[in-house]
Amino acid sequence: MDTEKKLSILTKQQRTAYTLRTQGLTFQKIADTMGISASMARQHVRNAERRFREYDRFRATQMKNATPVAFPLTRGDLKIILEGLYHTKHNLERTKPMSADSDWLGSFLYKSQSVEDLVRRVETVIFRRPLDRQYWSSEGVGKNADDSGSPGLPADGETEEKT
């Protein structure tokens, strides 16, 4: 990760303390420069280093998750997976953070976008095109929902456009 990107994941105080530390300053000199205690300066540097490790693990997981896999599925398997994706999408929408800043790794956005992409890809495989969003609305229930609250999938013959 380049230095600028690396520093962008830190808070302002962590970034300042870490940068001063990499310039060879002692914790006491960092503390004097920042107007904080030496133990707080040490804590900011440690928190910055911890964040770097967490971010590196997060990126490694993202790379691993982006690797295509060969896994045989039947059409019926895909329909079951699609219903699960509808529920996952609904749950992500209900629990999304109030502000984008509250999720410093952006993992919510990644998950939400991944689920939406998967839904469209699976719908295209099953129905030869993505369905209208009525089947996976923000309420998590499509117009064909059954009593279980599961979004109802159209039958294969119901995929034609209605005029």
Side-chain angles (χ1 to χ4, degrees), residues 101-112:
D101 296 335
S102 65
D103 186 8
W104 70 275
L105 291 176
S107 61
F108 168 76
L109 298 173
Y110 172 77
K111 287 178 187 176
S112 180

Side-chain angles (χ1 to χ4, degrees), residues 49-118:
E49 291 168 343
R50 187 190 78 240
R51 266 198 151 168
F52 293 147
R53 287 189 303 274
E54 289 172 353
Y55 187 78
D56 289 344
R57 281 193 304 269
F58 171 76
R59 290 292 298 148
T61 300
Q62 269 189 325
M63 297 287 285
K64 195 182 234 183
N65 288 343
T67 304
V69 295
F71 188 78
L73 294 171
T74 66
R75 192 175 171 86
D77 294 340
L78 278 178
K79 284 185 176 184
I80 293 167
I81 290 169
L82 184 58
E83 289 206 30
L85 288 170
Y86 288 144
H87 286 289
T88 301
K89 175 76 173 158
H90 173 66
N91 289 338
L92 285 171
E93 287 175 349
R94 284 192 350 210
T95 59
K96 68 179 154 185
M98 295 304 288
S99 103
D101 296 335
S102 65
D103 186 8
W104 70 275
L105 291 176
S107 61
F108 168 76
L109 298 173
Y110 172 77
K111 287 178 187 176
S112 180
Q113 290 167 353
S114 294
V115 169
E116 189 168 333
D117 179 55
L118 278 170

Side-chain angles (χ1 to χ4, degrees), residues 2-158:
D2 67 5
T3 306
E4 203 170 300
K5 172 109 173 147
K6 187 176 186 178
L7 295 175
S8 73
I9 66 172
L10 302 177
T11 66
K12 184 180 177 185
Q13 288 191 317
Q14 289 171 347
R15 187 171 34 253
T16 302
Y18 183 81
T19 301
L20 293 172
R21 185 67 175 169
T22 59
Q23 293 170 0
L25 273 65
T26 65
F27 290 120
Q28 187 58 55
K29 287 188 180 184
I30 294 170
D32 294 342
T33 303
M34 294 179 66
I36 58 176
S37 69
S39 64
M40 185 56 69
R42 182 181 303 111
Q43 193 62 43
H44 285 313
V45 171
R46 286 184 180 159
N47 288 343
E49 291 168 343
R50 187 190 78 240
R51 266 198 151 168
F52 293 147
R53 287 189 303 274
E54 289 172 353
Y55 187 78
D56 289 344
R57 281 193 304 269
F58 171 76
R59 290 292 298 148
T61 300
Q62 269 189 325
M63 297 287 285
K64 195 182 234 183
N65 288 343
T67 304
V69 295
F71 188 78
L73 294 171
T74 66
R75 192 175 171 86
D77 294 340
L78 278 178
K79 284 185 176 184
I80 293 167
I81 290 169
L82 184 58
E83 289 206 30
L85 288 170
Y86 288 144
H87 286 289
T88 301
K89 175 76 173 158
H90 173 66
N91 289 338
L92 285 171
E93 287 175 349
R94 284 192 350 210
T95 59
K96 68 179 154 185
M98 295 304 288
S99 103
D101 296 335
S102 65
D103 186 8
W104 70 275
L105 291 176
S107 61
F108 168 76
L109 298 173
Y110 172 77
K111 287 178 187 176
S112 180
Q113 290 167 353
S114 294
V115 169
E116 189 168 333
D117 179 55
L118 278 170
V119 165
R120 289 171 197 239
R121 288 171 40 207
V122 170
E123 286 175 344
T124 301
V125 168
I126 295 173
F127 304 110
R128 296 191 188 107
R129 67 175 176 82
L131 300 177
D132 295 331
R133 296 304 73 159
Q134 65 190 355
Y135 292 104
W136 60 297
S137 65
S138 62
E139 290 79 34
V141 179
K143 71 172 188 174
N144 295 336
D146 59 24
D147 292 335
S148 69
S150 171
L153 295 175
D156 290 341
E158 291 181 38

